[in-house]
Amino acid sequence: MLRIVTCNANGIRAAHRKGFFDWLAVEKPDVVCIQETKAQVSQLTDPVFHPDQYFCSYNDAVKRGYSGTAIYSLKRPTRIIDHLGWDPADSEGRY
């Protein structure tokens, strides 16, 4: 059975401090969709934010510390669409 998890992290770095990546390593869902990462990829240099078993795709907001999404998947997706062509969603990294 395919396990897909979605969560509002209210900050990926805060989620890390609260044990999110420990949970991920134990539960091993197939796909994790994260909203509200509140970080730019350039701020996520610690390998914990790029777990070895997972393909990671981040979609940052233009504004630092605001919104943003991420997908972790055990299998590399054949395609990732991260823009709708609608600026309020695209510039905020909401899709």
Side-chain angles (χ1 to χ4, degrees), residues 6 17-18 26-27 34 47 50 61 65 74 76 95:
T6 183
R17 289 189 299 272
K18 294 177 181 179
V26 170
E27 292 298 321
I34 303 170
H50 304 273
L74 289 176
R76 184 179 191 88
Y95 184 78

Side-chain angles (χ1 to χ4, degrees), residues 7-25 34-39 43-51 58 72:
C7 71
N8 182 317
N10 197 20
I12 194 73
R13 292 170 290 183
H16 165 50
R17 289 189 299 272
K18 294 177 181 179
F20 173 78
F21 291 98
D22 296 331
W23 169 87
L24 184 66
I34 303 170
Q35 301 82 44
E36 302 295 328
T37 57
K38 297 185 180 183
Q43 296 173 297
L44 305 176
T45 57
D46 187 317
V48 74
F49 298 109
H50 304 273
Y58 287 94
Y72 298 152

Side-chain angles (χ1 to χ4, degrees), residues 36-64:
E36 302 295 328
T37 57
K38 297 185 180 183
Q40 307 298 112
V41 172
S42 61
Q43 296 173 297
L44 305 176
T45 57
D46 187 317
V48 74
F49 298 109
H50 304 273
D52 288 336
Q53 294 180 329
Y54 285 89
F55 170 83
C56 304
S57 177
Y58 287 94
N59 187 12
D60 304 339
V62 172
K63 182 179 174 182
R64 291 176 65 93

Side-chain angles (χ1 to χ4, degrees), residues 1-7 23-24 27-35 54 70-74:
M1 175 184 288
L2 181 68
R3 288 185 32 196
I4 301 173
V5 174
T6 183
C7 71
W23 169 87
L24 184 66
E27 292 298 321
K28 297 181 178 84
D30 297 286
V31 178
V32 181
C33 304
I34 303 170
Q35 301 82 44
Y54 285 89
I71 294 176
Y72 298 152
S73 59
L74 289 176

Side-chain angles (χ1 to χ4, degrees), residues 80-94:
I80 295 175
I81 300 170
D82 61 5
H83 287 81
L84 293 169
W86 181 50
D87 185 57
D90 292 347
S91 64
E92 293 183 2
R94 295 198 181 271

